[in-house]
Amino acid sequence: MNGNKQSLIYSFVAKGSVVLAEHTAFSGNFSTIAVQCLQKLPPNSTNSTYSCDGHTFNFLVDRGFIFLIVADEAVGRSVPFVFLERVKEDFMQRYGSSINEEEQHPLADDADEDDFLLEDRFSIAYNLDREFGPRLKDHMLYCINHPEEISKLSKVKTHLTEVKGIMMDNIEKILERGEKIELLVGKTETLQSQADSFHRHGRELRRKMWIQNLRFKLMVGGGVAALILILWLMVCRGFKC
């Protein structure tokens, strides 16, 4: 693995179709393509790699969570999964026990996929992105700045796991498109302001979903309270109970 600062481009942690935390120092359409792939991942998949325009979209699935890294093809097949294993272990150490202990947790693997669940996940994502997004950045920088260590780990992983056996398909196949997809990745130095705009947009979207979720719950709570009051007045004929 070389010291190319574009070797690791974009990473996220997702649950279902909801991206919980993400990080990139670049701008481009890779996040849109990654989310489209997320929605098309084969059921019961564990490790998947898709190629697109000199880059790979690498997915690791564990207990219903999806971990992604978009990487330059030059880093090889093993390094992205070393990164994903680091991220998965960090994430599970931080949040795994609370998810498993709390009944009907929105991020639990056996939680039903309904509108209320998705709203709760968006609320959690608003907070989790602020907490774990910087950790994704730290892991990316560590892998970039410690190429020898990561290279050794990648060689061990290649021997001990089935990384070599992971099929790599063209991204057009999973997205069921006939035309070639062009991946756009901007350099940090020239497009940092656009990258910042990308992050702001993501945070604003999560904040909007969180506010909508809170507003909906307040409306439901107010409606229930009003109904109880009406029933109480009907039964008691006013305030004479």
PDB file of all heavy atoms in Angstrom, residues 129-143:
ATOM      1  N   ASP A 129     -23.643   9.871  13.500  1.00  0.00           N
ATOM      2  CA  ASP A 129     -22.703  10.395  12.512  1.00  0.00           C
ATOM      3  C   ASP A 129     -21.717  11.359  13.158  1.00  0.00           C
ATOM      4  O   ASP A 129     -20.534  11.386  12.804  1.00  0.00           O
ATOM      5  CB  ASP A 129     -23.459  11.094  11.385  1.00  0.00           C
ATOM      6  CG  ASP A 129     -22.533  11.543  10.264  1.00  0.00           C
ATOM      7  OD1 ASP A 129     -21.799  10.694   9.730  1.00  0.00           O
ATOM      8  OD2 ASP A 129     -22.537  12.728   9.923  1.00  0.00           O
ATOM      9  N   ARG A 130     -22.198  12.145  14.111  1.00  0.00           N
ATOM     10  CA  ARG A 130     -21.310  13.087  14.804  1.00  0.00           C
ATOM     11  C   ARG A 130     -20.325  12.350  15.694  1.00  0.00           C
ATOM     12  O   ARG A 130     -19.194  12.802  15.904  1.00  0.00           O
ATOM     13  CB  ARG A 130     -22.137  14.078  15.629  1.00  0.00           C
ATOM     14  CG  ARG A 130     -22.958  15.044  14.788  1.00  0.00           C
ATOM     15  CD  ARG A 130     -23.645  16.061  15.649  1.00  0.00           C
ATOM     16  NE  ARG A 130     -24.577  15.445  16.582  1.00  0.00           N
ATOM     17  CZ  ARG A 130     -25.249  16.107  17.523  1.00  0.00           C
ATOM     18  NH1 ARG A 130     -25.055  17.404  17.664  1.00  0.00           N
ATOM     19  NH2 ARG A 130     -26.088  15.484  18.314  1.00  0.00           N
ATOM     20  N   GLU A 131     -20.755  11.171  16.235  1.00  0.00           N
ATOM     21  CA  GLU A 131     -19.877  10.422  17.131  1.00  0.00           C
ATOM     22  C   GLU A 131     -18.892   9.545  16.369  1.00  0.00           C
ATOM     23  O   GLU A 131     -17.691   9.537  16.670  1.00  0.00           O
ATOM     24  CB  GLU A 131     -20.720   9.538  18.058  1.00  0.00           C
ATOM     25  CG  GLU A 131     -21.587  10.307  19.038  1.00  0.00           C
ATOM     26  CD  GLU A 131     -22.426   9.371  19.884  1.00  0.00           C
ATOM     27  OE1 GLU A 131     -22.257   8.138  19.752  1.00  0.00           O
ATOM     28  OE2 GLU A 131     -23.258   9.853  20.657  1.00  0.00           O
ATOM     29  N   PHE A 132     -19.415   8.787  15.394  1.00  0.00           N
ATOM     30  CA  PHE A 132     -18.578   7.774  14.755  1.00  0.00           C
ATOM     31  C   PHE A 132     -17.986   8.232  13.428  1.00  0.00           C
ATOM     32  O   PHE A 132     -17.020   7.637  12.957  1.00  0.00           O
ATOM     33  CB  PHE A 132     -19.375   6.478  14.546  1.00  0.00           C
ATOM     34  CG  PHE A 132     -18.502   5.266  14.356  1.00  0.00           C
ATOM     35  CD1 PHE A 132     -17.815   4.725  15.430  1.00  0.00           C
ATOM     36  CD2 PHE A 132     -18.360   4.676  13.109  1.00  0.00           C
ATOM     37  CE1 PHE A 132     -16.988   3.616  15.262  1.00  0.00           C
ATOM     38  CE2 PHE A 132     -17.547   3.566  12.931  1.00  0.00           C
ATOM     39  CZ  PHE A 132     -16.858   3.034  14.011  1.00  0.00           C
ATOM     40  N   GLY A 133     -18.545   9.292  12.837  1.00  0.00           N
ATOM     41  CA  GLY A 133     -17.962   9.819  11.610  1.00  0.00           C
ATOM     42  C   GLY A 133     -16.488  10.162  11.772  1.00  0.00           C
ATOM     43  O   GLY A 133     -15.647   9.771  10.940  1.00  0.00           O
ATOM     44  N   PRO A 134     -16.108  10.871  12.844  1.00  0.00           N
ATOM     45  CA  PRO A 134     -14.683  11.157  13.070  1.00  0.00           C
ATOM     46  C   PRO A 134     -13.840   9.899  13.270  1.00  0.00           C
ATOM     47  O   PRO A 134     -12.645   9.888  12.935  1.00  0.00           O
ATOM     48  CB  PRO A 134     -14.695  12.017  14.343  1.00  0.00           C
ATOM     49  CG  PRO A 134     -16.046  12.662  14.337  1.00  0.00           C
ATOM     50  CD  PRO A 134     -16.969  11.628  13.780  1.00  0.00           C
ATOM     51  N   ARG A 135     -14.444   8.825  13.800  1.00  0.00           N
ATOM     52  CA  ARG A 135     -13.696   7.583  13.961  1.00  0.00           C
ATOM     53  C   ARG A 135     -13.383   6.960  12.599  1.00  0.00           C
ATOM     54  O   ARG A 135     -12.311   6.378  12.406  1.00  0.00           O
ATOM     55  CB  ARG A 135     -14.492   6.581  14.815  1.00  0.00           C
ATOM     56  CG  ARG A 135     -14.665   7.004  16.258  1.00  0.00           C
ATOM     57  CD  ARG A 135     -13.330   7.046  16.962  1.00  0.00           C
ATOM     58  NE  ARG A 135     -12.651   5.754  16.935  1.00  0.00           N
ATOM     59  CZ  ARG A 135     -11.341   5.585  17.088  1.00  0.00           C
ATOM     60  NH1 ARG A 135     -10.562   6.649  17.260  1.00  0.00           N
ATOM     61  NH2 ARG A 135     -10.804   4.386  17.068  1.00  0.00           N
ATOM     62  N   LEU A 136     -14.316   7.071  11.660  1.00  0.00           N
ATOM     63  CA  LEU A 136     -14.044   6.594  10.305  1.00  0.00           C
ATOM     64  C   LEU A 136     -12.861   7.350   9.706  1.00  0.00           C
ATOM     65  O   LEU A 136     -11.994   6.758   9.057  1.00  0.00           O
ATOM     66  CB  LEU A 136     -15.288   6.777   9.426  1.00  0.00           C
ATOM     67  CG  LEU A 136     -16.486   5.884   9.750  1.00  0.00           C
ATOM     68  CD1 LEU A 136     -17.684   6.295   8.910  1.00  0.00           C
ATOM     69  CD2 LEU A 136     -16.152   4.412   9.519  1.00  0.00           C
ATOM     70  N   LYS A 137     -12.834   8.662   9.946  1.00  0.00           N
ATOM     71  CA  LYS A 137     -11.713   9.476   9.472  1.00  0.00           C
ATOM     72  C   LYS A 137     -10.405   8.998  10.097  1.00  0.00           C
ATOM     73  O   LYS A 137      -9.388   8.857   9.397  1.00  0.00           O
ATOM     74  CB  LYS A 137     -11.951  10.944   9.805  1.00  0.00           C
ATOM     75  CG  LYS A 137     -10.803  11.857   9.434  1.00  0.00           C
ATOM     76  CD  LYS A 137     -11.085  13.300   9.833  1.00  0.00           C
ATOM     77  CE  LYS A 137      -9.908  14.207   9.491  1.00  0.00           C
ATOM     78  NZ  LYS A 137     -10.179  15.618   9.887  1.00  0.00           N
ATOM     79  N   ASP A 138     -10.422   8.733  11.406  1.00  0.00           N
ATOM     80  CA  ASP A 138      -9.213   8.283  12.099  1.00  0.00           C
ATOM     81  C   ASP A 138      -8.704   6.963  11.525  1.00  0.00           C
ATOM     82  O   ASP A 138      -7.496   6.779  11.323  1.00  0.00           O
ATOM     83  CB  ASP A 138      -9.491   8.128  13.594  1.00  0.00           C
ATOM     84  CG  ASP A 138      -9.730   9.469  14.286  1.00  0.00           C
ATOM     85  OD1 ASP A 138      -9.358  10.502  13.702  1.00  0.00           O
ATOM     86  OD2 ASP A 138     -10.301   9.464  15.392  1.00  0.00           O
ATOM     87  N   HIS A 139      -9.631   6.026  11.280  1.00  0.00           N
ATOM     88  CA  HIS A 139      -9.228   4.730  10.738  1.00  0.00           C
ATOM     89  C   HIS A 139      -8.657   4.877   9.329  1.00  0.00           C
ATOM     90  O   HIS A 139      -7.677   4.196   8.971  1.00  0.00           O
ATOM     91  CB  HIS A 139     -10.412   3.768  10.730  1.00  0.00           C
ATOM     92  CG  HIS A 139     -10.775   3.241  12.080  1.00  0.00           C
ATOM     93  ND1 HIS A 139      -9.910   2.478  12.844  1.00  0.00           N
ATOM     94  CD2 HIS A 139     -11.907   3.365  12.821  1.00  0.00           C
ATOM     95  CE1 HIS A 139     -10.498   2.157  13.992  1.00  0.00           C
ATOM     96  NE2 HIS A 139     -11.705   2.682  13.994  1.00  0.00           N
ATOM     97  N   MET A 140      -9.253   5.739   8.529  1.00  0.00           N
ATOM     98  CA  MET A 140      -8.749   5.958   7.173  1.00  0.00           C
ATOM     99  C   MET A 140      -7.343   6.547   7.207  1.00  0.00           C
ATOM    100  O   MET A 140      -6.445   6.094   6.484  1.00  0.00           O
ATOM    101  CB  MET A 140      -9.702   6.870   6.401  1.00  0.00           C
ATOM    102  CG  MET A 140     -11.047   6.226   6.098  1.00  0.00           C
ATOM    103  SD  MET A 140     -12.237   7.352   5.320  1.00  0.00           S
ATOM    104  CE  MET A 140     -11.595   7.394   3.649  1.00  0.00           C
ATOM    105  N   LEU A 141      -7.145   7.544   8.063  1.00  0.00           N
ATOM    106  CA  LEU A 141      -5.822   8.170   8.168  1.00  0.00           C
ATOM    107  C   LEU A 141      -4.784   7.193   8.706  1.00  0.00           C
ATOM    108  O   LEU A 141      -3.636   7.190   8.263  1.00  0.00           O
ATOM    109  CB  LEU A 141      -5.902   9.411   9.072  1.00  0.00           C
ATOM    110  CG  LEU A 141      -6.668  10.611   8.505  1.00  0.00           C
ATOM    111  CD1 LEU A 141      -6.759  11.722   9.537  1.00  0.00           C
ATOM    112  CD2 LEU A 141      -5.991  11.122   7.227  1.00  0.00           C
ATOM    113  N   TYR A 142      -5.191   6.352   9.646  1.00  0.00           N
ATOM    114  CA  TYR A 142      -4.252   5.374  10.205  1.00  0.00           C
ATOM    115  C   TYR A 142      -3.790   4.391   9.125  1.00  0.00           C
ATOM    116  O   TYR A 142      -2.602   4.091   9.018  1.00  0.00           O
ATOM    117  CB  TYR A 142      -4.901   4.607  11.353  1.00  0.00           C
ATOM    118  CG  TYR A 142      -3.927   3.710  12.085  1.00  0.00           C
ATOM    119  CD1 TYR A 142      -3.176   4.198  13.149  1.00  0.00           C
ATOM    120  CD2 TYR A 142      -3.750   2.385  11.688  1.00  0.00           C
ATOM    121  CE1 TYR A 142      -2.261   3.373  13.804  1.00  0.00           C
ATOM    122  CE2 TYR A 142      -2.839   1.569  12.341  1.00  0.00           C
ATOM    123  CZ  TYR A 142      -2.098   2.066  13.401  1.00  0.00           C
ATOM    124  OH  TYR A 142      -1.196   1.249  14.040  1.00  0.00           O
ATOM    125  N   CYS A 143      -4.737   3.912   8.343  1.00  0.00           N
ATOM    126  CA  CYS A 143      -4.385   2.955   7.291  1.00  0.00           C
ATOM    127  C   CYS A 143      -3.499   3.601   6.227  1.00  0.00           C
ATOM    128  O   CYS A 143      -2.593   2.955   5.691  1.00  0.00           O
ATOM    129  CB  CYS A 143      -5.656   2.403   6.641  1.00  0.00           C
ATOM    130  SG  CYS A 143      -6.582   1.279   7.712  1.00  0.00           S
TER     131      CYS A 143
END
